[in-house]
Amino acid sequence: MTGERFERGLKTLTEIDGEAGHRVLDALADVSPALGEAVVSWGFGEIYSRPGLAPRDRQLVTLGMLTALGGCEPQLDVHVNAALNVGLTPAEIVEALLHSAVYCGFPKALNATFTAKKVFGERGLLPVTAE
Amino acid sequence: MTGERFERGLKTLTEIDGEAGHRVLDALADVSPALGEAVVSWGFGEIYSRPGLAPRDRQLVTLGMLTALGGCEPQLDVHVNAALNVGLTPAEIVEALLHSAVYCGFPKALNATFTAKKVFGERGLLPVTAE
Amino acid sequence: MTGERFERGLKTLTEIDGEAGHRVLDALADVSPALGEAVVSWGFGEIYSRPGLAPRDRQLVTLGMLTALGGCEPQLDVHVNAALNVGLTPAEIVEALLHSAVYCGFPKALNATFTAKKVFGERGLLPVTAE
Amino acid sequence: MTGERFERGLKTLTEIDGEAGHRVLDALADVSPALGEAVVSWGFGEIYSRPGLAPRDRQLVTLGMLTALGGCEPQLDVHVNAALNVGLTPAEIVEALLHSAVYCGFPKALNATFTAKKVFGERGLLPVTAE
Amino acid sequence: MTGERFERGLKTLTEIDGEAGHRVLDALADVSPALGEAVVSWGFGEIYSRPGLAPRDRQLVTLGMLTALGGCEPQLDVHVNAALNVGLTPAEIVEALLHSAVYCGFPKALNATFTAKKVFGERGLLPVTAE
Amino acid sequence: MTGERFERGLKTLTEIDGEAGHRVLDALADVSPALGEAVVSWGFGEIYSRPGLAPRDRQLVTLGMLTALGGCEPQLDVHVNAALNVGLTPAEIVEALLHSAVYCGFPKALNATFTAKKVFGERGLLPVTAE
């Protein structure tokens, strides 16, 4: 877990996911450090660090994917935080999840919205108001 | 299939999905016109028409969802076209689908990328070059 | 959240989902009232209110979908209640979920069956006996 | 592939799936006859043969599951035929698939509806008209 | 719940899943004993008992499936235990779940790895060390 | 697309996926060479090259994942070939896919088995016989 790629990945992970990203790495340390290394070095050091898509845009795509996959509430929690960290507003996040009802149906849209509500509550961002 | 909501939805559908959206409506006419009506009046007339998220942002979320759901190649075809129609570049679309490999794995990222390639080919946009 | 369509949807929601539906709306109020509005006005006011399929039949289809999607235990809870409200017996619900093992595999059939068990327990309907 | 359970399963399979079920068994003969045996003896001989849920109700649940799973168009083809064979009307099938948009989103509802359209066309049942 | 097939299935279930399998059967007793019977008689008595694939190989396939399906943490818990019971090491299980990131993406790989960590912790197998 | 990691990945890809892997890379060249690079350098150069799980075991896990994901028939085609290349027999592959019916249901097991049949046919391996 050293080298230029890992360092760049850790820096990007810290900027985007903040503390939550580090908690995931810590939790992996005694069971699968190699998975943590892959998240940092490949996911963040190689893919997230590419200039072709803005951090805000990456989080919009990611919110769509995690909502559609289903069963990824822990990762949605991290990425609703990440979305806020890179400049998406609560109202935009909520609108993206409303939009997801068209493509994924209401159950997945509801699960994702309640995960967002939990994060907004923790960050003192409730109630969400239109801009 | 009349009324203000339907008309607004049809206008938005035409702006975003273009001809492809109309082909879907035509194909539904003799089997489930009510599904076509729901796509237009609710999907486009109510959700897509909301001002809270830019059309370009809606397509980023949509590309993420359709890639993650899997088995939605016909809809991805429509929405890669839609993404181009609302101002995303081929390079940004390709980057979003590369990003999807991190969250959905390579098989779904590959299926989506090859659907995008088909659309790009039809529109004379190959090869895709970094901006 | 007014108008004829919303009122009709709220009436249908109340008949089918009962208190559980209202709890979902209340929980959405400070984060995404628009999602609650969409559930009521479109989901219930437009789709559920159509005469083409009996309420009991709609719940059979819904139980199948929620079991297959996976990760939708909160919605399955609401809809096992809904299924009972519109006349399906516990034995029929359990049989539908056994049937789901053929198409979705045992893990999803088990998750759905244990969600049904929780609802049956809350409503004093255990043990389930064949009719 | 003999015995009372297999015979009962084959009889039920023939009643419900008709020719399409037998084509699946034939196609499995040189690659996985054991999978064909499992479909017949367990799926149909044990589960489908249980009296706790009417054949028509089993197909409603099955249509919901296959729509939600995604990527199961070959099986949806067989089961739209099966649904017609056990007494569901084209209008009820189409209504069930419209209902699925609420829970699974439009892409899966569209894929399923176009599969149903193909079957209806083969059986001279287009256009579908409300009852 | 008697007969040669059920007895053989129960013996195989006990060898592979141990106590966890019996807990599932017990929990089904008052809601869907027929689902428990299907798991034992068909799943274990017919499929698991076939000689064509070693028990260890069956668990590798099963870990891959449960990780990919998503939302099956209770079953993954049972099958990480089963994998250990039939001779897979913690390091091999962790490696299989790292491998799953390539095909299913990081969120599902993480969910599965943390389920494995929970099981390893209960069995005193942490930290996992490379062999 | 150079460097030690890429070279090692290409070597591993060639050993396991053979010609089919190279066809995927060629098809990506004009649309997303970065996705091809990620498959080779990360997927094969980093993950597949790890010694912790035998190539044969990696393919068993992969067959399970691709069957469960659904809609990944092109990738299943590549990996049924890969499974044969690393020493799994047609009978073992067919048995793994029969086993998948228990966890994923019959539709996904059937789709995967018919993909395997296509590959076996192309390689002159039909009919499959028990060992």
Side-chain angles (χ1 to χ4, degrees):
Chain A
M1 294 227 198
T2 57
E4 186 265 338
R5 192 173 62 132
F6 183 81
E7 292 308 318
R8 183 177 63 237
L10 200 60
K11 189 164 167 292
T12 308
L13 173 77
T14 306
E15 282 164 17
I16 293 173
D17 287 358
E19 224 179 288
H22 284 267
R23 272 198 298 272
V24 172
L25 295 184
D26 290 348
L28 288 170
D30 63 350
V31 62
S32 185
L35 179 54
E37 208 278 337
V39 168
V40 174
S41 290
W42 185 67
F44 285 88
E46 293 194 59
I47 304 300
Y48 263 92
S49 299
R50 292 170 58 88
L53 202 65
R56 179 186 169 284
D57 292 347
R58 288 190 188 274
Q59 290 312 309
L60 282 170
V61 181
T62 304
L63 290 176
M65 291 187 289
L66 291 173
T67 300
L69 286 172
C72 295
E73 282 74 16
Q75 288 78 31
L76 254 175
D77 186 306
V78 171
H79 286 281
V80 171
N81 274 297
L84 294 166
N85 295 346
V86 296
L88 285 158
T89 65
E92 285 174 319
I93 293 166
V94 159
E95 188 70 32
L97 300 181
L98 172 59
H99 184 78
S100 80
V102 179
Y103 294 94
C104 307
F106 283 124
K108 288 182 175 175
L110 286 164
N111 286 344
T113 300
F114 288 128
T115 301
K117 179 177 175 170
K118 177 177 159 290
V119 174
F120 297 157
E122 289 162 1
R123 293 173 73 139
L125 298 170
L126 289 178
V128 175
T129 49
E131 274 130 281
Chain B
M1 294 226 200
T2 56
E4 186 264 337
R5 191 175 60 134
F6 183 81
E7 293 308 319
R8 184 177 61 237
L10 200 60
K11 188 163 167 295
T12 308
L13 172 78
T14 306
E15 282 164 16
I16 292 172
D17 286 359
E19 226 179 285
H22 284 267
R23 271 198 299 271
V24 171
L25 296 184
D26 290 347
L28 288 170
D30 62 350
V31 62
S32 184
L35 180 53
E37 210 278 337
V39 168
V40 174
S41 290
W42 185 66
F44 285 88
E46 293 194 60
I47 305 300
Y48 263 92
S49 299
R50 293 170 57 89
L53 199 66
R56 179 186 168 283
D57 291 348
R58 288 191 189 272
Q59 290 313 308
L60 282 169
V61 180
T62 304
L63 290 176
M65 290 188 289
L66 292 173
T67 299
L69 287 173
C72 294
E73 282 74 15
Q75 288 78 32
L76 253 176
D77 185 306
V78 171
H79 285 283
V80 171
N81 273 297
L84 293 167
N85 296 345
V86 297
L88 284 159
T89 64
E92 285 174 320
I93 294 168
V94 160
E95 189 70 32
L97 301 181
L98 172 60
H99 184 78
S100 79
V102 177
Y103 294 94
C104 306
F106 283 123
K108 288 181 175 175
L110 286 165
N111 285 343
T113 300
F114 288 128
T115 301
K117 178 178 175 170
K118 176 176 159 293
V119 174
F120 296 158
E122 290 163 1
R123 294 173 73 141
L125 298 169
L126 289 177
V128 175
T129 49
E131 274 129 280
Chain C
M1 296 225 199
T2 57
E4 186 265 337
R5 192 173 60 132
F6 183 81
E7 292 309 319
R8 183 177 63 237
L10 200 60
K11 188 163 166 294
T12 308
L13 173 79
T14 306
E15 283 164 16
I16 293 172
D17 287 358
E19 224 179 287
H22 285 267
R23 271 196 300 271
V24 172
L25 296 184
D26 290 348
L28 288 171
D30 62 351
V31 61
S32 185
L35 180 55
E37 208 280 336
V39 168
V40 174
S41 290
W42 184 67
F44 284 89
E46 293 193 60
I47 304 300
Y48 262 93
S49 298
R50 293 170 56 90
L53 200 65
R56 179 187 169 282
D57 292 347
R58 287 190 189 273
Q59 290 313 309
L60 282 169
V61 180
T62 303
L63 290 176
M65 290 188 290
L66 292 173
T67 301
L69 286 174
C72 295
E73 283 73 17
Q75 289 78 31
L76 253 175
D77 186 305
V78 172
H79 285 281
V80 170
N81 274 297
L84 294 166
N85 295 346
V86 297
L88 285 159
T89 65
E92 285 174 320
I93 293 166
V94 160
E95 188 70 32
L97 299 181
L98 172 60
H99 184 78
S100 80
V102 177
Y103 293 93
C104 306
F106 283 124
K108 288 182 175 175
L110 287 164
N111 286 343
T113 300
F114 287 127
T115 301
K117 178 176 176 172
K118 177 177 160 290
V119 173
F120 296 158
E122 288 163 2
R123 293 173 73 140
L125 298 170
L126 289 177
V128 175
T129 49
E131 273 130 282
Chain D
M1 294 225 199
T2 56
E4 187 265 335
R5 192 174 61 134
F6 183 81
E7 293 307 320
R8 183 177 62 237
L10 200 60
K11 188 163 167 295
T12 307
L13 172 77
T14 305
E15 283 164 16
I16 293 172
D17 286 359
E19 225 179 287
H22 285 267
R23 270 198 299 273
V24 171
L25 296 184
D26 290 347
L28 287 171
D30 61 350
V31 62
S32 186
L35 179 54
E37 209 278 335
V39 168
V40 173
S41 289
W42 185 66
F44 285 88
E46 292 193 60
I47 304 299
Y48 263 92
S49 298
R50 292 170 57 90
L53 200 65
R56 179 186 167 284
D57 291 348
R58 289 190 188 271
Q59 290 313 309
L60 282 169
V61 180
T62 303
L63 290 177
M65 291 187 289
L66 292 173
T67 299
L69 287 173
C72 295
E73 283 74 16
Q75 288 78 33
L76 253 176
D77 185 306
V78 171
H79 285 282
V80 171
N81 273 298
L84 294 167
N85 295 346
V86 297
L88 285 160
T89 65
E92 286 173 320
I93 293 166
V94 159
E95 189 70 32
L97 301 181
L98 172 60
H99 184 78
S100 79
V102 178
Y103 294 94
C104 306
F106 283 124
K108 288 181 175 175
L110 286 165
N111 286 343
T113 300
F114 287 128
T115 301
K117 179 177 175 170
K118 178 178 159 287
V119 173
F120 296 158
E122 290 163 0
R123 293 174 72 142
L125 297 170
L126 290 178
V128 175
T129 50
E131 270 129 284
Chain E
M1 295 226 198
T2 55
E4 185 265 338
R5 191 174 60 131
F6 183 81
E7 292 308 320
R8 183 177 62 235
L10 201 59
K11 188 162 166 295
T12 308
L13 173 77
T14 307
E15 282 164 16
I16 293 172
D17 287 358
E19 227 179 285
H22 284 267
R23 272 197 299 270
V24 171
L25 296 184
D26 290 347
L28 288 170
D30 62 350
V31 63
S32 185
L35 180 54
E37 208 277 337
V39 168
V40 174
S41 290
W42 185 66
F44 285 88
E46 293 193 61
I47 304 300
Y48 263 92
S49 300
R50 293 170 57 90
L53 201 65
R56 180 186 167 284
D57 291 347
R58 288 189 188 273
Q59 289 314 308
L60 282 170
V61 180
T62 303
L63 290 176
M65 291 187 289
L66 292 173
T67 300
L69 287 174
C72 295
E73 282 75 16
Q75 289 78 31
L76 253 176
D77 185 306
V78 172
H79 286 282
V80 170
N81 274 296
L84 293 167
N85 295 346
V86 297
L88 285 159
T89 65
E92 285 174 319
I93 292 167
V94 159
E95 188 70 32
L97 300 181
L98 172 60
H99 185 78
S100 80
V102 178
Y103 293 95
C104 307
F106 283 122
K108 289 182 175 175
L110 286 165
N111 286 343
T113 300
F114 288 128
T115 301
K117 178 177 176 172
K118 177 177 159 291
V119 174
F120 296 157
E122 290 163 1
R123 293 172 74 140
L125 298 170
L126 288 177
V128 175
T129 48
E131 273 131 282
Chain F
M1 293 226 200
T2 55
E4 186 264 335
R5 192 175 60 132
F6 183 80
E7 293 307 320
R8 182 177 64 235
L10 199 61
K11 187 163 169 293
T12 308
L13 172 78
T14 305
E15 283 165 15
I16 291 172
D17 286 0
E19 227 179 285
H22 285 267
R23 271 197 299 271
V24 172
L25 296 184
D26 290 347
L28 288 170
D30 62 350
V31 62
S32 186
L35 180 54
E37 209 278 335
V39 168
V40 173
S41 290
W42 185 66
F44 285 88
E46 293 193 59
I47 304 301
Y48 263 92
S49 299
R50 292 169 57 90
L53 200 66
R56 180 188 167 282
D57 291 348
R58 289 191 188 271
Q59 289 314 308
L60 283 169
V61 180
T62 303
L63 289 176
M65 291 187 288
L66 292 173
T67 299
L69 287 173
C72 295
E73 283 73 16
Q75 288 79 31
L76 253 175
D77 186 305
V78 171
H79 285 282
V80 171
N81 273 298
L84 293 167
N85 294 346
V86 297
L88 285 159
T89 65
E92 284 174 319
I93 293 167
V94 159
E95 189 70 32
L97 300 181
L98 172 59
H99 185 78
S100 80
V102 177
Y103 294 93
C104 306
F106 283 124
K108 288 182 175 175
L110 286 165
N111 285 344
T113 300
F114 287 128
T115 301
K117 178 177 174 172
K118 176 177 159 291
V119 173
F120 296 158
E122 289 164 1
R123 293 173 72 142
L125 297 170
L126 290 177
V128 175
T129 49
E131 273 130 280

